[in-house]
Amino acid sequence: KNQVEQSPQSLIILEGKNCTLQCNYTVSPFSNLRWYKQDTGRGPVSLTIMTFSENTKSNGRYTATLDADTKQSSLHITASQLSDSASYICVVSRSNDYKLSFGAGTTVTVRA
Amino acid sequence: GAVVSQHPSRVICKSGTSVKIECRSLDFQATTMFWYRQFPKQSLMLMATSNEGSKATYEQGVEKDKFLINHASLTLSTLTVTSAHPEDSSFYICSAFSLDTLAPYNEQFFGPGTRLTVL
């Protein structure tokens, strides 16, 4: 069973609208949670990284939240742009071996 | 953030040949590099962990004799797919990592990926 679950699997939104992606994890021992953006045919690019003590972190129009008690995170995209069309991957790092556990990703399609 | 490059970005080869993919950390020394494989519409799957100067550690189900990894320096790791077959066609991504015990977290920086197509 995947230790990082993302929802929805995909979504389509109109340009200018907001959306929120969800991530639940069971990875332990927890070190940090990251959100990556991956364009088709490219490597993942880091959007945010949060440690246990951080509840929210923003990077431009991207805002991530983390609830370490419930082991849930969200990524909110504000005022979406066509260039936001990509796969968004939730990744959790373990503190004992630094290996990353990847979610399956949410494919976001922004339409004009 | 730090820059990680991969070469080549795309490669097409005949079945039975070997292909070498390079992963370089351009502006920092990477104590560890990870190699991932990603099939269409799937997430990244860790293949192996490569530490400079030592043998790579392979994940379960990954053939070490088929996927040869060399991490000869702190800025370069190579993945060689030996005797490639069509089922090896995939997107191969490396990441570079430098352990900094003083940092609140240790970032992994991903390369842009290499698309391998085996005919």
Side-chain angles (χ1 to χ4, degrees):
Chain A
K1 186 180 184 299
N2 196 351
Q3 297 184 69
V4 181
E5 299 285 348
Q6 288 187 244
S7 63
Q9 186 176 30
S10 63
L11 65 91
I12 300 172
I13 57 173
L14 293 177
E15 188 178 15
K17 298 296 185 182
N18 305 333
C19 68
T20 300
L21 316 180
Q22 301 292 341
C23 174
N24 297 331
Y25 64 92
T26 59
V27 176
S28 180
F30 175 85
S31 175
N32 56 74
L33 184 145
R34 311 142 184 249
W35 283 94
Y36 286 91
K37 178 185 179 186
Q38 185 178 23
D39 293 311
T40 302
R42 305 291 296 173
V45 174
S46 180
L47 295 176
T48 62
I49 300 178
M50 290 179 290
T51 59
F52 185 89
S53 60
E54 296 174 294
N55 300 121
T56 185
K57 183 164 283 189
S58 292
N59 178 0
R61 294 178 296 100
Y62 301 102
T63 299
T65 66
L66 172 64
D67 185 334
D69 292 329
T70 62
K71 299 187 177 182
Q72 295 179 325
S73 176
S74 67
L75 179 70
H76 187 75
I77 305 175
T78 303
S80 61
Q81 299 176 359
L82 296 178
S83 59
D84 293 332
S85 296
S87 178
Y88 291 84
I89 307 172
C90 175
V91 183
V92 180
S93 174
R94 295 200 299 240
S95 58
N96 54 351
D97 60 9
Y98 305 104
K99 285 185 178 179
L100 302 181
S101 295
F102 290 80
T106 293
T107 301
V108 174
T109 303
V110 181
R111 291 185 174 167
Chain B
V3 178
V4 176
S5 70
Q6 282 185 239
H7 178 79
S9 58
R10 292 177 180 269
V11 57
I12 300 173
C13 68
K14 294 182 179 180
S15 184
T17 60
S18 295
V19 175
K20 179 184 285 188
I21 302 170
E22 292 186 349
C23 175
R24 293 182 184 271
S25 56
L26 299 183
D27 51 2
F28 72 104
Q29 293 186 323
T31 54
T32 303
M33 288 184 173
F34 298 90
W35 284 96
Y36 299 87
R37 181 166 52 182
Q38 185 177 32
F39 292 106
K41 298 189 184 300
Q42 295 185 23
S43 194
L44 282 72
M45 293 176 56
L46 180 64
M47 298 175 65
T49 303
S50 168
N51 292 298
E52 186 267 338
S54 63
K55 290 184 178 181
T57 303
Y58 291 81
E59 295 300 298
Q60 190 174 11
V62 178
E63 301 175 57
K64 63 179 181 180
D65 294 330
K66 180 169 184 61
F67 299 99
L68 302 179
I69 292 173
N70 184 286
H71 193 161
S73 76
L74 287 172
T75 59
L76 173 64
S77 176
T78 60
L79 168 68
T80 301
V81 183
T82 63
S83 186
H85 291 285
E87 57 265 30
D88 297 324
S89 298
S90 186
F91 192 53
Y92 292 86
I93 303 173
C94 72
S95 71
F97 165 85
S98 184
L99 179 61
D100 180 356
T101 56
L102 298 180
Y105 48 76
N106 291 278
E107 176 69 276
Q108 276 193 37
F109 299 96
F110 287 88
T114 296
R115 172 72 60 191
L116 170 63
T117 302
V118 184
L119 302 177

